[in-house]
Amino acid sequence: YLPIGISFLIFQFLLILFFDKTGITYLISDFRKISVFLLFFCQGVAGPIINLQIFKNFLRRVSNLSIFRVKKRIIIILPVFLIAISKKLLLADPLFDLYFLMYEEDISSFIYFYLISLIFLMALYFDFSAYSEMAWSIALILGMKLPINFASPLRAINYVELWKRWHITLTQSFGRLITIPSQTYAMRNFSNKTNIMRNFSMFFPVFLGFLVSGIWHGWGISFVLWGFLNFLFWWLFSLVFMKRLSNKLPYVSWFLT
């Protein structure tokens, strides 16, 4: 068993290590700083992954934090938190219970399987939405403005847009750590080759990002398959005719997504 939130902490440290040369020194120079960075509970479970500049701004604000300001923020932001926790308790948790109950049933039917998948999707959607809003509201009360991490992904009209709306900071982190560097390397070495190699240099880095994302979520063949299928759908919606479909028939594209 691993500590809660360890994967998010690893990502945050990797981003600091690769993109902020003075960041590690800044953190380890003061035990209180690195303790707050590690133990800031708001975004430990489901993110978002924050950069060091957000953390520095938070430390500057929290040093001037007064009880009056906290009370004022609580009055303004508390409704957001209550809506979020209600979403978690009244929608996400019951849907998860229903999913596990139905999953135990030995029924072989496409419609039944589709219904279970839909219930799980909605449970996951409300659960992550609730966690994101709770993290944002608590952090704002304490003086930290977290980046938006969940932007109504089920409104996305194609699969490419979906991943720009779902767990935004995680997608950006994989892009910065894996996809963009590997794509830069591939374009430098293969872009002047054949069309096949040019396409390879464009799409393989994205495949690599999805593959690592799957392994990051869990170790096993099912998570590798999850990464592969997500890349496959992303690639399909990247094709020209699918882009045209998104523009001309957005509702059809949304349904397929």
Side-chain angles (χ1 to χ4, degrees), residues 121-167:
L121 171 64
M122 297 311 299
L124 191 64
Y125 180 90
F126 287 124
D127 188 73
F128 196 82
S129 173
Y131 270 122
S132 298
E133 290 168 8
M134 284 190 283
W136 180 87
S137 56
I138 294 174
L140 199 59
I141 289 172
L142 297 175
M144 179 185 284
K145 188 175 182 180
L146 294 176
I148 299 298
N149 202 35
F150 194 82
S152 302
L154 292 187
R155 292 174 59 188
I157 61 172
N158 59 62
Y159 212 77
V160 177
E161 184 186 355
L162 175 68
W163 276 107
K164 292 180 180 179
R165 290 171 172 264
W166 186 293
H167 214 324

Side-chain angles (χ1 to χ4, degrees), residues 163-195:
W163 276 107
K164 292 180 180 179
R165 290 171 172 264
W166 186 293
H167 214 324
I168 299 168
T169 57
L170 180 65
T171 304
Q172 292 171 344
S173 299
F174 275 116
R176 294 185 69 189
L177 289 171
I178 298 171
T179 307
I180 295 175
S182 57
Q183 199 165 48
T184 302
Y185 174 82
M187 292 295 286
R188 286 176 181 172
N189 291 275
F190 304 116
S191 61
N192 59 345
K193 307 294 182 180
T194 62
N195 287 333

Side-chain angles (χ1 to χ4, degrees), residues 158 160 236-248:
N158 59 62
V160 177
L236 287 172
F237 277 90
S238 300
L239 299 177
V240 175
F241 76 91
M242 290 302 292
K243 289 181 179 179
R244 290 175 179 171
L245 179 67
S246 299
N247 294 329
K248 295 182 178 180

Side-chain angles (χ1 to χ4, degrees), residues 26-44:
Y26 172 82
L27 284 176
I28 65 177
S29 63
D30 190 331
F31 179 76
R32 289 173 299 178
K33 290 177 183 176
I34 196 167
S35 297
V36 173
F37 185 79
L38 289 172
L39 301 175
F40 193 69
F41 63 95
C42 302
Q43 36 81 248

Side-chain angles (χ1 to χ4, degrees), residues 80-93:
V80 178
F81 178 80
L82 292 177
I83 291 171
I85 199 169
S86 299
K87 194 187 301 183
K88 165 69 176 170
L89 297 176
L90 301 179
L91 293 174
D93 288 351

